[in-house]
Amino acid sequence: MPVHSVHDTQPADRWENAFLSGNGEYGIMVFGHPHQERIVHNHHRYVLPNESLTMRPPAVADRLEHVRDLILAGDRERAQREFSDGRAMAWTQSFHPGHVLHLDAQAEAGPVEGYHRGTDFTTGEVRVTWTDGEREWQRRAFVSRTDAVAVVEITGPRLDLVVRLSGELPGRPPEVTFSSSAEATGDGEACLTVVGAYPPGPGAAEFAGVTRAVVTGGRVTVKADAARVEGATRVVLLTRMDRSPTPVDVTGLRTALLALPAEYDALLARHAPVHGELYGRAELTLGASDGDSPLPVGELLALADPETLNPALVEALFHSGRYLLLSSSGVLPPRLTGLWLGAWGAAWSGDYTTDANINLQMAGAVLTGMPELIAPYAALIGAQIDDWRTNARTIYGTRGILAPSRTDGEHGLLFHLDDDWPWTMWLAGADWLLYPLYEYWQATGDDAFLAGTLAPWLVEAAVFFEDFLTREDDDGHAVLVPSYSPEVGPKDGPGVAGVNATMDVAAARHALTTAAGVCAHLGVEQAAADRWRALAERLPPYRVDDHGALAEWAWPGLATAEDHRHISHLYPVWPLHDITPDDTPDLAAAAREALLRRGDENTSAHGSLHRALVAARLKDGGTAKANILKILGRNMVFRSLMTSHNPDLEIYNADAAHCLPAVVTEMLVDSRPGIVEVLPALPPEWPSGSLRGVETRAGVRVDELSWDVREGVVRVVLTSPRERDIALVCRGAMDSRQTLRLLSHSPTGVILPFA
């Protein structure tokens, strides 16, 4: 049976190994020695104000035709300078941690034996237990999805603790100041408050945390900013947080806490069914041995091998990844670090890097049975869509929308650029970022969402290209110029700007045809839809280079740079299904050649898993496996099962943790409208197993997929919300393709003998 938890027999010696819980708004990190435990509290909207709040996109629309001429003439560096405004590179507001809850034993703390800490993925609880040889102590913690509160309970035969809140975390800028206080409020209760003040200027003024401490069986006194607990048998700590452009309403936070029951079990009983129902929809088994699955995390990670995909470790990371994605999705989708950070100074501002990372993290949300997690992702875009319109108008003088390469979650204006990084020229961003919403509609058939939210944005993505595509080549193809392939330029000569970046070509085609398709589905904008289809037909074809590889630039003379972490030119393969082995076999072979020729550069997590997703789409289980092993075989998983950006645990980063469930799912189930394919990229290490609760782009759910290669049997159970025909494909089966008639809400089971 799969294990829906992680546990350790050693305390976390660093914040990166902290066990994690979250409700999509607050996140907590539990680590440290049992007599000196620390719980870092994070909030999704905590970002450090900086000068980016007053920045706007460069007003360069009047230079567009001149810049186009320069690029077409080969003067790429000058074109980049002309399409900027001389600005230096500026970064988004940096995500930062909130405060620390200190739990320190008073003098003469006893010995620690039988230490155990664990996270239960089904409830979101983090538990720490130990004994002194005879008596047991326990700490439990979770963050409630129903009551918006972080909850900690400490129990034991005698609790003598000092409890306080502080801003004492590494890397805090000196201009960010903290004040802490404590107040006895009577009846065995105290209130702790910590307020962080940002430096003067635009943006928020303060962020704060308030903790209500309720003591049973002992007494609590207050000294300075700490509450001292003596002789208690139970302590319950309830915390709420906020950030404000004016002084935080601390009184309001205190009042809200007083309205909650100071009963851990009662609060958990309200939270656990909501969290658990979402988490429990999908499950993976890969035939892990009974001895491997329940191992402590240190021994589990020791199963990692640079040559073999250990089933127990992959199962654990599949379930942990879904848990972490769920826990960090709520008011916003996950950031580069999910929802957790234990030190200031996050790499890349801990923001939303939109040219690859956020889509990779969200890739498993719908597929692994949690389509509700698309709501915060849509909310992020919806709050910024006006800024995307401003970008298009200011930079290109067009209608429609142009997305930035990064955002801090507060606005979407395109200001992150300089002469060497021409993000003004990345045209694919809106289509790329809208794709997860389109996939959600394909899977759920939610026409209300399509009509009310998504379709207008898809129309604006198409309208941008309708206005932008005014040049054509000698063959009458529309020319995308300027164009940029994140984050790499053509191999030859200076400058990274170019013409017809394959990602931009794919995005333009997808934006135009998708807008036309959804408008036809909704019965609107028919004349415009005809124009968009006609324009899509005029886009250039994909180009295959002299190596037989799909070229990064569909323009003669622009050669592909082979060693880079990004593989943006494979956008037609994943996620678009524009190039597939069945429909476009020659282009699929070229795409595979491009994938194999691309070097790893710095073996970044997002690069490896992006490659694995593309390989799975190309039915190449060996290459998908090899890229997963770049994560598992290079020490990129912390003891929390959160992951790093680079090998050897360099840079705390959620890309791999959140993306890996999607990779495993795509290796086992591929889907598009009308087609569900099972076991498209099965590696040899998984000769038997099962996957349940997968949603598909065909609008049907895979209730169960189970297989046993040795016995030569695959079993599939599908359910559709309406009557429809589905092509079920299994390349290894005797009947590799068959058509099933699915009745409404009626599970249909099929057994497929292997050839």
Side-chain angles (χ1 to χ4, degrees):
M1 294 293 292
V3 177
H4 294 280
S5 61
V6 60
H7 72 278
D8 202 346
T9 55
Q10 298 178 23
D13 58 351
R14 53 190 287 191
W15 65 262
E16 293 92 340
N17 288 328
F19 280 4
L20 308 171
S21 181
N23 67 354
E25 182 178 22
Y26 301 171
I28 60 172
M29 313 177 72
V30 182
F31 68 104
H33 188 277
H35 295 323
Q36 290 183 315
E37 195 156 72
R38 303 291 179 260
I39 303 179
V40 177
H41 286 62
N42 291 285
H43 192 296
H44 231 324
R45 296 196 183 278
Y46 279 11
V47 290
L48 177 62
N50 67 11
E51 69 279 1
S52 70
L53 287 168
T54 61
M55 292 182 174
R56 295 294 180 267
V60 292
D62 60 339
R63 309 177 196 175
L64 176 59
E65 298 309 320
H66 174 57
V67 166
R68 285 174 160 167
D69 291 339
L70 289 172
I71 293 175
L72 291 169
D75 197 348
R76 302 197 301 258
E77 278 193 312
R78 184 179 172 194
Q80 291 167 205
R81 291 194 302 272
E82 294 283 347
F83 215 52
S84 179
D85 52 9
R87 69 178 65 194
M89 182 66 76
W91 286 83
T92 51
Q93 301 174 96
S94 182
F95 179 54
H96 67 79
H99 66 270
V100 189
L101 171 62
H102 300 253
L103 301 173
D104 293 318
Q106 298 200 47
E108 304 299 328
V112 174
E113 299 179 13
Y115 178 87
H116 183 280
R117 65 183 180 118
T119 302
D120 184 337
F121 302 154
T122 67
T123 64
E125 282 185 282
V126 178
R127 295 190 182 209
V128 178
T129 60
W130 73 95
T131 74
D132 62 0
E134 298 179 357
R135 301 172 299 172
E136 181 176 273
W137 282 260
Q138 177 176 256
R139 292 181 182 143
R140 300 189 289 170
F142 73 98
V143 188
S144 173
R145 292 191 87 89
T146 52
D147 289 302
V149 64
V151 186
V152 178
E153 179 195 64
I154 311 160
T155 57
R158 180 182 174 92
L159 303 175
D160 297 304
L161 295 170
V162 177
V163 183
R164 67 186 183 95
L165 307 182
S166 85
E168 296 167 7
L169 287 167
R172 176 172 59 86
E175 62 269 23
V176 177
T177 60
F178 276 89
S179 61
S180 300
S181 63
E183 177 185 351
T185 54
D187 298 324
E189 294 201 19
C191 182
L192 306 171
T193 302
V194 60
V195 178
Y198 296 117
E206 288 185 351
F207 58 101
V210 175
T211 295
R212 176 188 174 199
V214 181
V215 174
T216 301
R219 69 190 189 101
V220 58
T221 58
V222 167
K223 183 176 181 181
D225 63 349
R228 302 180 69 87
V229 176
E230 295 178 312
T233 55
R234 181 186 309 273
V235 178
V236 174
L237 305 167
L238 308 179
T239 300
R240 278 197 168 170
M241 306 166 67
D242 199 9
R243 180 177 185 267
S244 174
T246 57
V248 173
D249 180 10
V250 171
T251 300
L253 293 175
R254 293 178 63 168
T255 301
L257 290 173
L258 289 170
L260 295 173
E263 296 290 339
Y264 183 96
D265 289 334
L267 291 168
L268 181 64
R270 301 203 299 221
H271 156 83
V274 176
H275 171 98
E277 195 278 326
L278 283 164
Y279 172 80
R281 291 178 186 166
E283 185 171 80
L284 175 72
T285 62
L286 294 173
S289 71
D290 291 340
D292 285 349
S293 293
L295 289 174
V297 68
E299 296 176 43
L300 183 67
L301 293 177
L303 299 175
D305 184 295
E307 304 295 332
T308 304
L309 287 176
N310 181 271
L313 181 56
V314 174
E315 282 182 15
L317 291 171
F318 178 89
H319 295 125
S320 173
R322 291 185 68 251
Y323 166 73
L324 294 172
L325 178 61
L326 169 59
S327 300
S328 58
S329 299
V331 298
L332 290 168
R335 297 176 178 273
L336 285 173
T337 63
L339 178 51
W340 301 280
L341 195 61
W344 291 70
W348 305 287
S349 292
D351 63 9
Y352 299 95
T353 306
T354 61
D355 64 342
N357 309 66
I358 181 62
N359 288 46
L360 292 168
Q361 289 198 37
M362 293 298 296
V366 173
L367 297 184
T368 68
M370 301 185 291
E372 290 89 343
L373 302 193
I374 287 296
Y377 182 82
L380 175 70
I381 293 175
Q384 302 189 4
I385 201 73
D386 280 340
D387 289 342
W388 293 14
R389 296 180 185 119
T390 297
N391 295 336
R393 184 172 61 250
T394 306
I395 296 169
Y396 285 103
T398 65
R399 299 171 298 159
I401 51 179
L402 182 70
S405 64
R406 55 191 342 110
T407 173
D408 50 33
E410 292 205 342
H411 68 83
L413 293 171
L414 200 164
F415 63 84
H416 176 78
L417 72 141
D418 62 15
D419 291 351
D420 297 320
W421 293 86
W423 285 110
T424 50
M425 299 179 180
W426 182 47
L427 311 175
D431 185 70
W432 167 254
L433 291 169
L434 292 177
Y435 180 81
L437 304 180
Y438 182 64
E439 181 181 65
Y440 164 82
W441 173 69
Q442 288 181 312
T444 64
D446 186 348
D447 278 351
F449 172 78
L450 178 68
T453 299
L454 179 56
W457 297 346
L458 293 174
V459 165
E460 290 190 87
V463 163
F464 170 81
F465 285 109
E466 188 175 24
D467 288 359
F468 174 84
L469 291 168
T470 60
R471 296 276 183 115
E472 64 179 42
D473 63 17
D474 293 340
D475 296 321
H477 294 124
V479 175
L480 291 106
V481 58
S483 186
Y484 180 45
S485 188
E487 301 170 8
V488 59
K491 179 180 179 181
D492 55 320
V496 296
V499 185
N500 291 350
T502 297
M503 184 184 198
D504 286 343
V505 173
R509 182 177 290 115
H510 186 256
L512 292 163
T513 57
T514 300
V518 300
C519 286
H521 178 78
L522 296 173
V524 298
E525 298 278 2
Q526 292 306 298
D530 291 340
R531 294 197 310 272
W532 298 332
R533 290 190 190 95
L535 182 55
E537 290 293 323
R538 292 180 48 233
L539 288 167
Y542 299 126
R543 175 172 160 257
V544 177
D545 66 20
D546 293 341
H547 302 291
L550 184 70
E552 192 151 14
W553 307 87
W555 189 257
L558 299 183
T560 302
E562 301 293 6
D563 188 29
H564 199 269
R565 61 195 176 277
H566 282 264
I567 54 167
S568 302
H569 55 314
L570 297 177
Y571 186 31
V573 180
W574 185 90
L576 292 189
H577 277 113
D578 195 25
I579 293 175
T580 70
D582 293 332
D583 297 339
T584 56
D586 291 343
L587 283 174
R592 183 173 183 272
E593 182 64 21
L595 178 62
L596 296 178
R597 291 183 65 84
R598 194 72 151 195
D600 286 311
E601 193 185 10
N602 58 3
T603 320
S604 65
H606 69 80
S608 297
L609 292 183
H610 198 167
R611 286 160 171 76
L613 287 165
V614 170
R617 284 288 174 85
L618 295 172
K619 322 304 176 188
D620 184 351
T623 300
K625 165 188 165 178
N627 279 283
I628 297 174
L629 288 173
K630 291 172 188 174
I631 305 293
L632 305 189
R634 284 177 165 82
N635 190 25
M636 295 179 71
V637 184
F638 293 103
R639 293 175 80 95
S640 59
L641 298 187
M642 182 54 81
T643 48
S644 65
H645 186 275
N646 296 331
D648 294 323
L649 300 179
E650 181 186 359
I651 305 177
Y652 192 83
N653 177 264
D655 291 348
H658 290 168
C659 184
L660 205 135
V663 174
V664 172
T665 301
E666 290 267 7
M667 294 171 73
L668 301 177
V669 179
D670 186 16
S671 63
R672 46 190 165 134
I675 300 174
V676 174
E677 179 173 355
V678 298
L679 308 183
L682 183 69
E685 290 91 335
W686 308 339
S688 64
S690 67
L691 176 67
R692 68 170 181 84
V694 170
E695 302 289 346
T696 72
R697 303 170 199 89
V700 304
R701 184 175 67 249
V702 180
D703 293 322
E704 179 189 347
L705 164 65
S706 57
W707 67 95
D708 193 315
V709 175
R710 299 182 186 93
E711 294 186 3
V713 175
V714 180
R715 173 176 167 79
V716 184
V717 180
L718 304 176
T719 300
S720 172
R722 62 176 177 83
E723 186 173 339
R724 72 175 92 204
D725 289 338
I726 288 292
L728 179 63
V729 177
C730 181
R731 291 167 197 269
M734 292 182 183
D735 185 359
S736 62
R737 184 185 181 102
Q738 56 183 278
T739 300
L740 303 180
R741 167 54 60 94
L742 303 181
L743 302 178
S744 175
H745 298 288
S746 178
T748 299
V750 182
I751 295 178
L752 306 172
F754 273 125

